[in-house]
Amino acid sequence: MSQVQIVEVGLRDGLQNESVHLSVDQRFEILKSLAHAGLKRIEVGAFVRSDKVPQMAGTAELLELAQKFKKENKKFRDLKYSVLVPNLRGWEEAENLNPDEVALFASSTESFSQKNINCSIQESLERFAPVIAKAKKKKIKVRGYLSVCFGCPFEGKVPEKNVIKLVDQMFKMKVDEVSIGDTIGVADAGQVKSLFKKLKNKHPIKKLAGHFHDTRGQALVNIMAAYDLGVRIFDSSIGGLGGCPYAPGATGNVSTENVLYLMNGLKAKTGVEIQPLIELNHQIGNWMSKSLPSQVSRAGLLKV
Amino acid sequence: MSQVQIVEVGLRDGLQNESVHLSVDQRFEILKSLAHAGLKRIEVGAFVRSDKVPQMAGTAELLELAQKFKKENKKFRDLKYSVLVPNLRGWEEAENLNPDEVALFASSTESFSQKNINCSIQESLERFAPVIAKAKKKKIKVRGYLSVCFGCPFEGKVPEKNVIKLVDQMFKMKVDEVSIGDTIGVADAGQVKSLFKKLKNKHPIKKLAGHFHDTRGQALVNIMAAYDLGVRIFDSSIGGLGGCPYAPGATGNVSTENVLYLMNGLKAKTGVEIQPLIELNHQIGNWMSKSLPSQVSRAGLLKV
């Protein structure tokens, strides 16, 4: 039986792309429910400018609450918190709150890098270096997100060799884990197999994660394709929170419930229960006054 | 490169579960667009009582138009039409219009059989026999649908051995092809692998089709699981027409566009173009005043 790690990104990658903003209290409620459902890796938020990304306002407060929650509950000893830190300023906000992991972000294409973070790919990697050095000193794990690894809304299909070169560089810089992102949900199963086959020839597969969006309904087949090659870490978002800024009305992050349904079918061990997440999904839907896209939660489990 | 046959069931299994009813003219427009996109197997409709299933009213007229269309267009010589015939009365309506195939329907569970067609499983198979005999005499192919092969809304998980026994019986009765249905979209990839492994040990894989609903977002992984075992015939519905009568608001048939996206990724040859189907999807959506669920059509192909 294979162990699979689900990295729950709904509180960050999900909420960040939602127009309804949730309060710190609501986000803390979500975090606790995620932990109770069995999730062990939770991305709590991002230390970004709250005038630019108001959805992430109060990340410090939320992380503080989360740390207190963990301290008070022995059963959550193994729970790991991650936060996105775009630069040294973000790091300085994060470090006193002792996250288990910090996440950094780079893009596979120059256009996406410029439009998203206003700098070239190499400049973004240069910003990584001092954060990595400081995190290593504090024994905080570093996760690198590499976005638009399969297709870019501005440049189209992304050459594999560009992605591989950037993954190489990230590992050389001592990033502990690289999450390969299909940010606009355009990858097909053939691309996924091809890229991960090449990556696993160069790097330990246990340091690679798959971050698939469901914009074209392909996230689960892409996850299965990566799983078949040995990938055992997948990012997903409760309810499919997120949406896709490049295709209005389209879905974004793959939903945690759908991924778990697949993993259960594959007899992979995640340690996470689906039913409490379905209930959480509906609670978040109430707060946001909409139905979240996860099909598993919409239809429910078979109860006979 | 593998050849894959897509059986387009939108005009029957899809429309039959939609509350907006399309006219014969609209359905004929859809049929022509499907043919132009490259689909080679189209389920045209059902010879059922139009007071019970008004969505299928005019199936005879539609099939007549379809046959005329095929006769007038040499490039559609290989196009095959199928119609559902529940019994001898349906057969009598169908036979003069020379469909290439008739489809029969049975259930894997007694409760589903009773609720759907008001008879036991064995009674439904007995009704098959005379239709099969007549179809064979006219060299018309016979397709058998076996529904709720993985889970039933009334009986829960369905034992594999029940399904296998019924498939055995259908082939013994000279059905040419059996379509294994996940009618309520509850199958997981593990169940699919397990059942098809057992079925292919007893029957030629080329006589088995996969009919997966996307109610829990698992249709494509289930198709990929079956594909990996050698299944090369899959049923799908343009746009994901259909819905799920057992889970209000949930999706039903897997969409043809999503299946094609997967097949293109797997380098399987279908002969079908996605872009014209996206346009057809939007046309049907306009007629029905709603957005059809296919994620590929909602997001569109990557155009850069």
Side-chain angles (χ1 to χ4, degrees):
Chain A
M1 208 184 243
S2 293
Q3 284 276 357
V4 163
Q5 292 178 29
I6 304 289
V7 180
E8 171 56 51
V9 301
L11 287 169
R12 202 274 305 168
D13 197 29
L15 290 183
Q16 178 181 294
N17 290 304
E18 293 285 347
S19 53
V20 177
H21 303 180
L22 298 186
S23 69
V24 169
D25 283 349
Q26 288 170 319
R27 282 142 66 195
F28 183 45
E29 287 304 311
I30 295 171
L31 184 142
K32 287 187 285 184
S33 298
L34 293 169
H36 279 287
L39 284 149
K40 297 277 181 300
R41 296 183 65 177
I42 299 177
E43 201 173 49
V44 176
F47 286 101
V48 289
R49 286 174 51 175
S50 59
D51 56 335
K52 289 205 169 167
V53 191
Q55 295 96 328
M56 293 295 105
T59 289
E61 196 187 335
L62 177 58
L63 181 54
E64 212 170 337
L65 287 166
Q67 295 290 25
K68 197 164 162 248
F69 165 75
K70 185 158 80 169
K71 208 170 279 173
E72 285 166 357
N73 292 270
K74 271 195 185 157
K75 63 184 276 208
F76 298 125
R77 256 187 312 233
D78 297 334
L79 178 57
K80 306 286 182 201
Y81 296 136
S82 182
V83 282
L84 191 80
V85 293
N87 47 37
L88 262 182
R89 191 178 117 175
W91 163 262
E92 279 154 18
E93 284 191 81
E95 67 168 334
N96 296 326
L97 297 162
N98 287 308
D100 301 284
E101 181 182 81
V102 288
L104 303 164
F105 172 94
S107 170
S108 297
T109 70
E110 290 296 345
S111 317
F112 200 82
S113 189
Q114 289 292 352
K115 297 245 181 185
N116 253 271
I117 48 176
N118 281 308
C119 66
S120 72
I121 299 172
Q122 285 311 311
E123 280 163 355
S124 72
L125 293 177
E126 280 158 27
R127 284 186 203 160
F128 274 30
V131 177
I132 296 173
K134 287 176 185 283
K136 291 280 153 187
K137 208 176 272 176
K138 289 196 83 167
K139 295 201 161 71
I140 290 174
K141 214 182 133 187
V142 179
R143 168 173 244 235
Y145 280 110
L146 192 56
S147 63
V148 294
C149 294
F150 301 92
C152 166
F154 315 112
E155 299 188 16
K157 207 164 179 176
V158 178
E160 275 185 342
K161 65 174 185 358
N162 298 9
V163 177
I164 294 166
K165 213 178 100 186
L166 290 166
V167 173
D168 291 349
Q169 201 176 342
M170 286 168 98
F171 280 127
K172 212 170 156 188
M173 294 173 76
K174 306 284 179 209
V175 166
D176 296 292
E177 177 179 301
V178 177
S179 176
I180 303 297
D182 179 24
T183 314
I184 59 166
V186 77
D188 66 44
Q191 281 181 286
V192 172
K193 285 184 196 185
S194 175
L195 180 61
F196 275 96
K197 250 181 221 167
K198 285 171 184 142
L199 289 174
K200 72 182 264 196
N201 283 339
K202 305 189 81 178
H203 305 288
I205 194 83
K206 67 174 207 277
K207 294 179 138 198
L208 293 168
H211 181 103
F212 295 105
H213 282 215
D214 203 30
T215 315
R216 287 163 187 86
Q218 311 292 312
L220 289 194
V221 285
N222 292 338
I223 287 172
M224 189 153 109
Y227 179 86
D228 286 345
L229 287 167
V231 177
R232 292 293 178 270
I233 309 169
F234 295 102
D235 302 355
S236 64
S237 165
I238 172 72
L241 277 175
C244 177
Y246 303 97
T251 39
N253 286 286
V254 67
S255 89
T256 305
E257 305 96 292
N258 283 21
V259 174
L260 290 171
Y261 203 99
L262 169 62
M263 290 302 154
N264 290 350
L266 297 175
K267 313 282 180 263
K269 216 182 147 191
T270 60
V272 190
E273 293 291 324
I274 298 183
Q275 189 56 43
L277 293 183
I278 294 178
E279 285 149 29
L280 175 58
N281 172 313
H282 295 150
Q283 186 179 20
I284 300 172
N286 283 341
W287 285 337
M288 295 192 146
S289 304
K290 67 172 185 174
S291 166
L292 303 188
S294 169
Q295 293 98 331
V296 165
S297 282
R298 284 189 180 175
L301 300 177
L302 184 60
K303 278 176 207 136
V304 181
Chain B
M1 208 184 244
S2 293
Q3 283 276 355
V4 163
Q5 292 179 29
I6 304 290
V7 180
E8 170 58 49
V9 301
L11 288 170
R12 201 275 304 170
D13 197 30
L15 290 184
Q16 179 180 294
N17 290 303
E18 293 285 347
S19 54
V20 177
H21 303 180
L22 298 185
S23 69
V24 170
D25 282 350
Q26 287 170 321
R27 283 142 66 196
F28 183 44
E29 287 304 310
I30 295 172
L31 184 141
K32 286 187 286 182
S33 298
L34 293 169
H36 278 288
L39 283 150
K40 298 276 182 297
R41 295 183 63 177
I42 299 176
E43 201 173 49
V44 175
F47 286 101
V48 289
R49 284 174 53 176
S50 59
D51 56 335
K52 290 205 171 170
V53 192
Q55 296 95 327
M56 293 295 105
T59 289
E61 195 188 335
L62 177 58
L63 181 54
E64 210 171 337
L65 287 167
Q67 294 291 26
K68 197 163 162 252
F69 165 75
K70 185 159 78 169
K71 206 169 282 173
E72 285 168 358
N73 291 270
K74 272 195 184 158
K75 62 185 276 206
F76 298 125
R77 256 187 311 232
D78 298 334
L79 178 57
K80 306 286 182 201
Y81 297 134
S82 182
V83 283
L84 190 80
V85 293
N87 46 37
L88 261 182
R89 190 177 118 175
W91 162 261
E92 279 155 19
E93 283 192 82
E95 67 169 334
N96 296 325
L97 297 162
N98 287 307
D100 300 284
E101 182 182 80
V102 289
L104 303 164
F105 174 94
S107 170
S108 297
T109 71
E110 290 296 346
S111 317
F112 200 83
S113 189
Q114 289 293 350
K115 297 245 182 183
N116 253 270
I117 48 176
N118 282 308
C119 66
S120 73
I121 300 173
Q122 285 312 312
E123 281 163 354
S124 72
L125 292 176
E126 282 158 26
R127 284 187 203 160
F128 272 29
V131 177
I132 295 173
K134 286 178 185 281
K136 291 280 153 187
K137 207 176 274 176
K138 288 196 82 167
K139 295 201 159 71
I140 290 174
K141 214 181 134 187
V142 178
R143 169 173 242 233
Y145 280 109
L146 192 55
S147 62
V148 294
C149 293
F150 302 93
C152 165
F154 315 112
E155 300 188 17
K157 208 165 178 173
V158 178
E160 275 184 343
K161 65 174 184 354
N162 299 10
V163 177
I164 293 165
K165 213 178 98 186
L166 289 167
V167 173
D168 290 350
Q169 200 175 341
M170 286 168 97
F171 280 127
K172 214 172 155 187
M173 294 173 76
K174 306 286 180 209
V175 166
D176 296 292
E177 177 178 302
V178 176
S179 177
I180 303 297
D182 179 24
T183 315
I184 59 167
V186 78
D188 66 42
Q191 281 181 286
V192 172
K193 284 183 198 187
S194 175
L195 180 61
F196 275 97
K197 249 181 222 165
K198 285 171 183 141
L199 289 174
K200 73 182 264 194
N201 282 339
K202 305 188 81 177
H203 305 288
I205 194 81
K206 66 173 207 275
K207 293 179 138 198
L208 294 167
H211 181 104
F212 295 105
H213 282 215
D214 203 32
T215 315
R216 287 163 187 86
Q218 310 293 312
L220 289 194
V221 285
N222 292 339
I223 287 172
M224 191 154 107
Y227 179 86
D228 285 346
L229 288 166
V231 177
R232 293 293 179 268
I233 309 170
F234 295 103
D235 302 355
S236 64
S237 166
I238 172 73
L241 277 176
C244 176
Y246 304 97
T251 39
N253 285 287
V254 66
S255 88
T256 306
E257 304 95 294
N258 284 20
V259 175
L260 290 171
Y261 203 98
L262 169 62
M263 290 302 155
N264 290 349
L266 297 175
K267 314 282 180 263
K269 216 182 148 191
T270 60
V272 189
E273 293 291 323
I274 298 183
Q275 189 55 43
L277 293 184
I278 294 178
E279 285 149 29
L280 173 59
N281 172 313
H282 295 150
Q283 187 180 18
I284 300 171
N286 283 341
W287 285 337
M288 296 192 145
S289 303
K290 68 173 185 174
S291 165
L292 303 188
S294 170
Q295 294 97 330
V296 165
S297 282
R298 284 189 180 174
L301 300 177
L302 185 61
K303 278 176 208 137
V304 181

